[in-house]
């Protein structure tokens, strides 16, 4: 079978969750992405909102079954020897659509070919195929070693459990409680505390982020940081600047993102009154929303942009009224989220 040799690897990836303007939730999902020739395969598939079957929130038995399938130790779940590589992040049902491919042995090697978007038991390559992607030939021993490493106790942490928990430092009043509920609603564990004194190092290391409420003083922040440092934690510390839950959820999601910079769709975000600058690594669809609190402490939300952009840096003219005063903008792609304050005039 004609196919060039490609390198195969796995890397942590995240599908950022969200609290939408209508109150609905989009789930936060941590998963392992396939790295082919040094680049995430998902980034080759246009603007696709999907996750691989190697997701952190699966039970051990189901996760192991997915790995065994990719190792060709179990029969293909779909007709014609096809395997699911990416599926719906909300339900993973085939009816929502999935990226599938034929995976087969060719002598000592493993070959992925005939990539397609599939919504039923069979795939129509002429209508729904991905021309120009694959076939990929992997050295069998290296391919197996990468996948088997996920199953070994000495291998990388498949669950990335620490990236799915955040500690909210502040009083148990309305805002932290609502933020914790929203984070739990999208699949992120959240607890509220006034300090970290007396917590075990193992507990502190289980958090991927620590978020400080605006009423938390500098002495309290310093004590919390010291406790996490003593525990050897790699948690990211962020501030919660304004009492707007969807904005704060986005801020936490950004802090939890552990994807390397070269594996992201969204690279940079900056905002000034009347203009937003965003940099993307690949062609993708982005949405940009502005949040601000007016002088009467009312939350104001404005959808500034939603559309497809090419790879590169884009300066987008937006409604200056939506970014006046103390305002923040949130940019989202299907795989990541960035938050930026609106710079003063």
């Amino acid at each position: 079978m004609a196919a060039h040799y490609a390198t195969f690897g796995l890397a942590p990836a995240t599908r950022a969750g969200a609290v939408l303007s209508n109150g609905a939730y989009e789930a936060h999902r941590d998963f392992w992405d396939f790295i082919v020739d040094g680049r995430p395969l998902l980034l080759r598939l246009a603007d696709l909102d999907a996750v691989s079957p190697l997701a952190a929130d699966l039970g051990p038995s189901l996760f192991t079954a997915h790995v065994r399938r990719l190792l060709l130790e179990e029969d293909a779940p779909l007709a014609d020897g096809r395997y699911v590589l990416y599926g719906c992040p909300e339900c993973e049902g085939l009816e929502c659509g999935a990226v599938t491919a034929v995976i087969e042995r060719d002598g000592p090697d493993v070959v992925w070919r005939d990539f397609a978007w599939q919504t039923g038991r069979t795939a129509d390559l002429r209508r729904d195929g991905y021309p120009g992607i694959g076939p990929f030939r992997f050295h069998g021993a290296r391919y197996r070693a990468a996948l088997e490493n996920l199953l070994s106790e000495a291998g990388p942490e498949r669950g990335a459990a620490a990236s799915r928990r955040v500690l909210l430092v502040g009083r148990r009043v309305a805002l932290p409680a609502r933020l914790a509920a929203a984070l739990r609603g999208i699949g992120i564990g959240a607890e509220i505390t006034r300090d970290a004194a007396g917590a075990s190092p193992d507990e502190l290391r289980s958090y991927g982020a620590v978020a400080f409420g605006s009423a938390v003083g500098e002495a309290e922040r310093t004590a919390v940081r010291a406790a996490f440092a003593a525990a050897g934690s790699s948690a990211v510390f962020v501030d919660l600047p304004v009492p707007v839950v969807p904005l704060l959820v986005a801020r936490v999601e950004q802090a939890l993102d552990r994807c390397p910079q070269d594996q992201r769709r969204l690279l940079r975000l900056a905002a000034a009154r009347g203009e937003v600058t965003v940099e993307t690594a690949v062609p993708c669809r982005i949405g940009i929303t502005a949040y601000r609190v007016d002088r009467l402490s009312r939350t104001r939300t404005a959808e500034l942009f939603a559309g497809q952009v090419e790879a590169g840096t884009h300066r987008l003219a937006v409604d200056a009224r939506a970014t006046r005063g103390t305002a923040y903008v949130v940019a989202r792609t299907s795989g990541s989220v960035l938050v930026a304050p609106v710079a003063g005039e």
Side-chain angles (χ1 to χ4, degrees), residues 134-208:
F136 300 117
R137 177 183 294 272
F138 304 117
H139 290 281
R142 299 173 190 172
Y143 175 88
R144 288 190 295 274
L147 287 166
E148 288 172 350
N149 197 34
L150 293 179
L151 303 179
S152 69
E153 293 182 359
E157 293 181 359
R158 70 162 180 88
S163 70
R164 297 177 57 81
R165 296 185 70 201
V166 59
L167 184 65
L168 307 178
V169 181
R171 293 184 176 86
R172 293 178 179 274
V173 292
L175 178 62
R178 286 190 289 117
L179 176 56
L183 289 168
R184 292 166 189 153
I186 65 172
I188 296 175
E191 287 81 39
I192 305 170
T193 188
R194 280 296 295 176
D195 59 59
S200 71
D202 286 343
E203 181 181 0
L204 296 182
R205 286 192 295 268
S206 72
Y207 293 101

Side-chain angles (χ1 to χ4, degrees), residues 10 34 69 81 93 104 179 193 210 227 262 269-270 290 308-309 312 320 330:
L10 297 158
F34 308 111
R69 281 179 179 172
E104 60 189 6
L179 176 56
T193 188
V210 179
D262 61 358
L269 176 68
Q308 188 79 15
V309 298
V330 175

Side-chain angles (χ1 to χ4, degrees), residues 109-142:
D109 301 330
V110 175
V111 175
W112 288 15
R113 63 175 175 86
D114 295 341
F115 291 80
W117 178 254
Q118 188 168 343
T119 57
R121 290 293 300 173
T122 59
D124 186 333
L125 292 178
R126 183 171 299 178
R127 183 189 65 193
D128 299 321
Y130 284 97
I133 296 182
F136 300 117
R137 177 183 294 272
F138 304 117
H139 290 281
R142 299 173 190 172

Side-chain angles (χ1 to χ4, degrees), residues 9-14 31-35 40 52 54 150 258-260 263:
L10 297 158
T14 298
F31 62 99
W32 289 95
D33 198 3
F34 308 111
I35 307 301
S52 82
L54 307 178
L150 293 179
R258 296 295 193 268
C259 294
Q263 295 179 17

